[in-house]
Amino acid sequence: MASTATCTVTSPDSEPTEFILPDFFSDCRYPMRLNPHCDQVSRASAQWLCSEGHLVEPDVTKYTTILRPGYFASSCYPDADAFHLKVCADFLGWSFKMDDWLEIERSPDVNDAWGVRDCCVSAYRDPVNFQTERYSGKMCKSYFGRFKETGGPGCTERFIHTMDLWFISAAKEVENRVKGHIDDVESYIELRRDLSGCKACFALIEFVCHIDLPDEVVSHPVIMALEEATNDFVSWSNDILSYNMEQSHHSTHNLVAVLMVKQGLDLQGAVDYCAQLCNISLQRFEENRAVLPSWGEEVDKDVAKYVEGLQNWIVGPLQWSFESARYFGKDAHIVKQNRIVKLVPKRPL
């Protein structure tokens, strides 16, 4: 693993204008792959998102051309067939819209957040019969109705449960923002593990692989450690990659920002600290993969598919981050090469 710089303390006399990204592509050596159905599914998912989400410009361009949920799904689920990949792409497109609703577009109150949770979880429980006028709930009915066509009972329940955790954590984050509260580092880490959305995406690994892991596998400490290591790498790398965009919107829901406020680190020091956590997460993943137990030949085959799916989720978001314009706009390929991120001005409050 590549080493990172030593953390430093913030100087009150200077404001940073840029920071240097970790060398993610040297640290993370897993192969980057892209689903062969990417273009076809991306077009179909873009049409679905525009129609079901009632998008108008500039959101049509933003959510289909800039954010590229079809490419994101294709990076994370490279072996999925077209039907299953489309469900994943639709879910991720919906997730982008929900994420921006919570973080950027407006400041929902806590009741809004709980209302969306009740609506969407009800849609998951009964996508056929549940009725709602909320676009978010209608979109859940659409993609999850298709999920349930092939998703196993355990996998289905895991998706619903982990999405409920996401909604609960989202409501907590809204409450924190309303109160101007910034979590300490430990509290933020716990909240982020639910708010990353990774846990539901891991249930989608089972869905696309046509497997339904037994409870004794899902609850095993080694499997749970592999999932947590994957989640942590995705979360901390994303907090680094998204920091520039989020600081411009005055968001403090980011480990870089939390470290600066709570531990007095300067910007580069906080980024380097996050990079160290990313490398530790990769080490934890490999250490736990090396001690996977056996549950018998047939179950072990499914476990191998699932662990490979977790590996794809470590590298897939990295690939997407520099192929979309989500974080670095038209300069994404330049930033990938020189790793220099120039801070954009904060938007007026």
Side-chain angles (χ1 to χ4, degrees):
M1 303 294 178
S3 62
T4 54
T6 303
C7 299
T8 56
V9 178
T10 302
S11 168
D13 300 325
S14 61
E15 288 291 334
T17 59
E18 63 184 40
F19 65 91
I20 300 174
L21 292 174
D23 192 358
F24 285 122
F25 295 98
S26 293
D27 296 340
C28 183
R29 299 181 181 275
Y30 301 133
M32 296 190 181
R33 302 164 56 218
L34 192 68
N35 193 294
H37 302 291
C38 179
D39 290 344
Q40 166 200 347
V41 167
S42 293
R43 288 191 296 269
S45 187
Q47 292 175 351
W48 175 86
L49 186 58
C50 291
S51 174
E52 296 294 321
H54 296 259
L55 301 186
V56 297
E57 291 293 0
D59 282 352
V60 171
T61 298
K62 175 181 179 180
Y63 288 102
T64 61
T65 304
I66 296 177
L67 297 184
R68 303 180 69 186
Y71 189 95
F72 193 5
S74 296
S75 298
C76 296
Y77 306 103
D79 298 310
D81 62 37
F83 171 82
H84 289 78
L85 183 64
K86 171 70 158 50
V87 173
C88 296
D90 290 352
F91 166 71
L92 290 171
W94 170 88
S95 299
F96 287 148
K97 192 76 179 79
M98 294 298 294
D99 185 56
D100 284 350
W101 174 73
L102 288 166
E103 290 285 343
I104 296 172
E105 292 179 359
R106 63 192 185 93
S107 296
D109 63 28
V110 177
N111 290 332
D112 283 339
W114 288 115
V116 171
R117 176 228 185 182
D118 292 342
C119 173
C120 291
V121 171
S122 296
Y124 295 146
R125 289 294 179 194
D126 191 356
V128 174
N129 297 310
F130 177 70
Q131 300 299 317
T132 179
E133 294 303 313
R134 289 181 185 261
Y135 294 157
S136 56
K138 288 182 177 181
M139 295 168 81
C140 291
K141 282 166 55 72
S142 173
Y143 66 71
F144 202 65
R146 285 173 279 137
F147 176 105
K148 292 190 75 172
E149 290 179 25
T150 63
C155 168
T156 298
E157 189 57 37
R158 281 187 281 280
F159 181 90
I160 296 172
H161 172 66
T162 53
M163 281 306 298
D164 195 25
L165 294 177
W166 183 86
F167 285 115
I168 292 170
S169 63
K172 290 178 181 176
E173 171 57 18
V174 170
E175 186 174 9
N176 284 347
R177 193 179 317 123
V178 170
K179 294 179 177 179
H181 173 74
I182 300 175
D183 282 328
D184 58 42
V185 175
E186 292 75 16
S187 299
Y188 175 81
I189 287 173
E190 288 302 314
L191 183 67
R192 187 71 167 96
R193 284 172 176 158
D194 287 336
L195 198 55
S196 70
C198 283
K199 294 178 180 180
C201 294
F202 298 163
L204 290 176
I205 296 172
E206 296 182 74
F207 169 71
V208 303
C209 291
H210 307 273
I211 62 178
D212 199 31
L213 295 174
D215 289 343
E216 60 266 27
V217 171
V218 174
S219 62
H220 194 280
V222 172
I223 295 295
M224 294 174 68
L226 285 164
E227 291 172 339
E228 185 174 276
T230 305
N231 193 349
D232 284 354
F233 180 86
V234 173
S235 297
W236 311 146
S237 60
N238 180 260
D239 278 7
I240 295 171
L241 295 167
S242 66
Y243 174 77
N244 195 18
M245 180 185 74
E246 292 180 352
Q247 65 86 24
S248 73
H249 292 95
H250 304 271
S251 173
T252 56
H253 181 76
N254 184 295
L255 186 57
V256 175
V258 171
L259 287 166
M260 292 171 70
V261 172
K262 297 297 184 178
Q263 294 195 5
L265 301 180
D266 65 10
L267 174 56
Q268 190 63 55
V271 169
D272 293 343
Y273 189 100
C274 286
Q276 292 172 355
L277 295 181
C278 288
N279 286 340
I280 291 170
S281 298
L282 292 174
Q283 293 167 356
R284 285 161 47 210
F285 186 84
E286 285 304 320
E287 288 168 358
N288 281 280
R289 176 149 62 179
V291 296
L292 269 171
S294 174
W295 290 272
E297 184 177 356
E298 290 304 312
V299 174
D300 287 354
K301 289 179 182 178
D302 289 347
V303 171
K305 292 177 183 177
Y306 184 69
V307 174
E308 183 181 8
L310 293 175
Q311 176 182 298
N312 291 334
W313 251 97
I314 289 175
V315 73
L318 280 181
Q319 180 171 240
W320 165 82
S321 294
F322 292 97
E323 291 296 331
S324 76
R326 173 68 159 173
Y327 302 128
F328 308 115
K330 67 182 187 306
D331 297 327
H333 287 182
I334 297 173
V335 173
K336 182 179 180 180
Q337 290 178 345
N338 65 24
R339 295 164 41 210
I340 298 173
V341 180
K342 296 186 182 301
L343 295 185
V344 298
K346 287 183 169 60
R347 294 188 178 187
L349 289 171

